[in-house]
């Protein structure tokens, strides 16, 4: 497949342009020219030296990630930035990034993947960010305790030895669940406003403890990396349907 067609297909599927003014990450093609062919695509959560070198070893023509290497501008390609870019440029491996668009996609996104894992019904977009959303909300098929919900997340997510942290300040039985993956504790107030019993996210800020306690809502911190493997995995399946060879590069951080 022509590289420009590959990029265009992903941009269209992920509605990349809708997040252009909302995201510190410049989404889409971050490294590489528009020319060339793509036959083998590697997928990873993070663009790092480890995943760039793994993509080269896998013989990939493109690396698709959730977290790219540019955040709000790139002044110099030195140090860490150089080390991450060098193997990609040297071996002509394109880097495609989808940050907030992949969080907010209601079918392929990270929050949608967590919602699938929890079996949420009656879903709707959640996590307002300007005119867009970066999460999802739904109802458990049957009420569950905080412990049961945490156990599901703990057993099915890759934590690299770290478990799910719980701020257990909500009702004894949870039914209504809001999900914003990664660092999503800033949407705690919105979860309270819509009547959610629990907010599932990756990691929390220090203020989340008292905010959750005072609001009477449960917060489950299931790991930034662990909650954000779903989107790139879903894109891998999508791209396989285009007839391309793929590989998933699992590099958990424990965070």
């Amino acid at each position: 497949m022509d590289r420009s067609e590959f990029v265009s297909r992903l941009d269209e599927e992920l509605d990349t342009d809708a997040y252009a003014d909302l995201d510190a990450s410049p989404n889409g093609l971050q490294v590489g020219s528009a020319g060339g062919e793509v036959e083998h695509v590697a997928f990873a959560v993070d663009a790092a030296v480890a995943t760039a070198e793994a993509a080269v070893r896998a013989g990939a023509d493109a690396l698709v990630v959730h977290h790219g290497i540019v955040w709000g501008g790139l002044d110099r390609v030195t140090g860490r930035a150089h080390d991450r870019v060098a193997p990609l440029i040297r071996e002509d491996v394109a880097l495609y990034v989808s940050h907030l668009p992949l969080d907010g996609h209601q079918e392929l996104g990270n929050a949608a993947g967590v919602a699938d894992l929890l079996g949420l019904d009656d879903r709707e977009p959640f996590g307002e960010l300007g005119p867009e959303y970066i999460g999802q909300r739904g109802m458990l098929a049957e009420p569950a305790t905080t412990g049961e919900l945490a156990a599901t997340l703990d057993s099915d997510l890759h934590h690299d030895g770290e478990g799910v942290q719980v701020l257990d300040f909500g009702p004894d039985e949870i039914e209504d669940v809001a999900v914003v993956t990664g660092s999503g504790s800033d949407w705690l107030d919105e979860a309270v406003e819509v009547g959610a019993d629990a907010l599932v996210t990756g990691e929390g800020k220090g203020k989340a403890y008292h905010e959750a306690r005072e609001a009477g809502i449960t917060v489950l911190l299931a790991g930034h990396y662990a909650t954000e493997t779903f989107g790139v995995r879903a894109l891998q399946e999508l791209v396989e349907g285009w007839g391309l060879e793929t590989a998933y590069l699992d590099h958990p951080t424990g965070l």
Side-chain angles (χ1 to χ4, degrees):
M1 180 182 294
D2 184 78
R3 184 183 289 176
S4 61
E5 180 185 354
F6 176 76
V7 170
S8 294
R9 282 195 184 190
L10 287 177
D11 283 344
E12 181 178 359
E13 177 62 47
L14 294 164
D15 199 13
T16 299
D17 288 345
Y19 293 83
D21 296 328
L22 305 174
D23 204 340
S25 171
N27 297 299
L29 187 65
Q30 274 195 4
V31 176
S33 66
E37 293 291 316
V38 175
E39 296 180 357
H40 187 173
V41 185
F43 294 82
V45 174
D46 304 303
V49 173
T51 52
E53 291 179 344
V56 170
R57 290 195 300 271
D61 306 305
L63 172 62
V64 175
V65 301
H66 180 50
H67 300 130
I69 59 175
V70 180
W71 299 91
L74 185 64
D75 295 326
R76 293 177 176 83
V77 186
T78 59
R80 186 183 301 114
H82 171 271
D83 293 343
R84 290 176 175 179
V85 171
L88 300 173
I89 293 179
R90 184 175 62 246
E91 302 297 333
D92 193 25
V93 178
L95 176 67
Y96 184 94
V97 177
S98 186
H99 183 231
L100 294 184
L102 192 54
D103 284 324
H105 197 288
Q106 295 298 296
E107 294 179 1
L108 303 176
N110 290 314
V114 174
D116 287 342
L117 171 63
L118 297 177
L120 299 186
D121 297 322
D122 301 323
R123 300 186 200 179
E124 59 186 42
F126 174 81
E128 288 188 24
L129 189 64
E132 303 298 332
Y133 293 88
I134 58 170
Q136 205 168 83
R137 173 192 172 207
M139 304 293 292
L140 292 171
E142 295 182 1
T145 66
T146 300
E148 290 169 338
L149 203 59
T152 297
L153 293 168
D154 195 43
S155 64
D156 285 40
L157 298 183
H158 193 167
H159 297 285
D160 198 30
E162 300 296 328
V164 176
Q165 292 181 290
V166 178
L167 306 179
D168 191 5
F169 300 122
D172 292 337
E173 289 195 330
I174 294 171
E175 296 182 82
D176 192 324
V177 180
V179 182
V180 177
T181 61
S183 182
S185 62
D186 285 342
W187 281 267
L188 188 150
D189 285 341
E190 183 182 340
V192 173
E193 289 172 6
V194 299
D197 302 318
L199 171 67
V200 176
T201 187
E203 60 178 307
K205 298 178 180 178
K207 64 179 182 177
Y209 175 92
H210 288 293
E211 290 178 345
R213 183 178 184 180
E214 291 161 4
I217 187 172
T218 291
V219 178
L220 296 104
L221 306 174
H224 197 132
Y225 179 91
T227 59
E228 297 201 322
T229 60
F230 294 95
V232 287
R233 287 283 205 179
L235 288 183
Q236 179 183 11
E237 185 175 344
L238 175 72
V239 167
E240 285 177 352
W242 297 348
L244 301 179
E245 185 179 356
T246 71
Y248 178 66
L249 311 176
D250 191 20
H251 203 92
T253 65
L255 300 174

